[in-house]
Amino acid sequence: AYPEEAWKTNTLGTLNVLLGLVGVPVFAMGGGPGYLFQPTFGYLLGFIVQAYFCGRWARQTAEPGVRRLLLVNLGGMAIVYGIGISWFYLASNYLLEAPIALWTAILYCGILQTPPDLLICGAAAWLAVRFRRAGAWQGVPAHVQVKEV
């Protein structure tokens, strides 16, 4: 396992969110600290946690297969949806005073969005294995042995 690699995986995502919070317009509706109060900000937090989770669990074996990567992707998707829908519900009901029922949030922010995300999870797992076999995973061809100096 390579837990230190998992932290590297989410560094850019974390940096992106931090840049957005200080005012760099990297989010869909600009940037700035006020973005914390947007109902969709939870998805950005979810992406950070997802990147760590996926980076950690995808690297538990030296040669991850499609099945393992698909399960990792689905776990990451569940993290994003869990944090994103929770934040959406809480922000809508308690910060913005734009009440929404929990099941309505789950339906519109989760269930209706999952079919394309499931396809993306499958395609990403399949492509990752193909890229690894072609030598594009972590910049080292699969057949090359790297010696530490």
Side-chain angles (χ1 to χ4, degrees):
Y2 310 99
E4 68 279 355
E5 292 294 322
W7 287 110
K8 292 177 185 177
T9 304
N10 76 349
T11 301
L12 289 176
T14 303
L15 181 61
N16 184 55
V17 171
L18 291 175
L19 284 172
L21 289 176
V22 297
V24 178
V26 295
F27 301 143
M29 296 186 298
Y35 215 83
L36 284 166
F37 303 107
Q38 294 293 327
T40 55
F41 184 74
Y43 291 98
L44 296 172
L45 294 177
F47 292 144
I48 293 170
V49 177
Q50 173 199 38
Y52 176 78
F53 171 85
C54 291
R56 166 92 185 190
W57 291 102
R59 292 179 171 92
Q60 289 295 313
T61 62
E63 194 71 37
V66 173
R67 181 177 177 190
R68 177 179 191 80
L69 293 178
L70 177 60
L71 291 173
V72 168
N73 289 345
L74 293 174
M77 187 175 117
I79 289 169
V80 170
Y81 277 87
I83 295 172
I85 292 170
S86 297
W87 189 282
F88 188 90
Y89 174 78
L90 293 171
S92 295
N93 285 296
Y94 301 106
L95 294 176
L96 302 177
E97 297 180 16
I100 185 171
L102 178 60
W103 289 110
T104 303
I106 291 170
L107 174 66
Y108 287 103
C109 300
I111 295 171
L112 295 177
Q113 307 302 319
T114 55
D117 285 349
L118 291 172
L119 292 173
I120 291 170
C121 284
W126 184 82
L127 285 170
V129 170
R130 297 305 176 266
F131 286 152
R132 169 72 173 108
R133 290 181 183 156
W137 185 292
Q138 299 175 350
V140 179
H143 63 280
V144 174
Q145 297 296 321
V146 178
K147 294 181 181 180
E148 295 289 328
V149 179

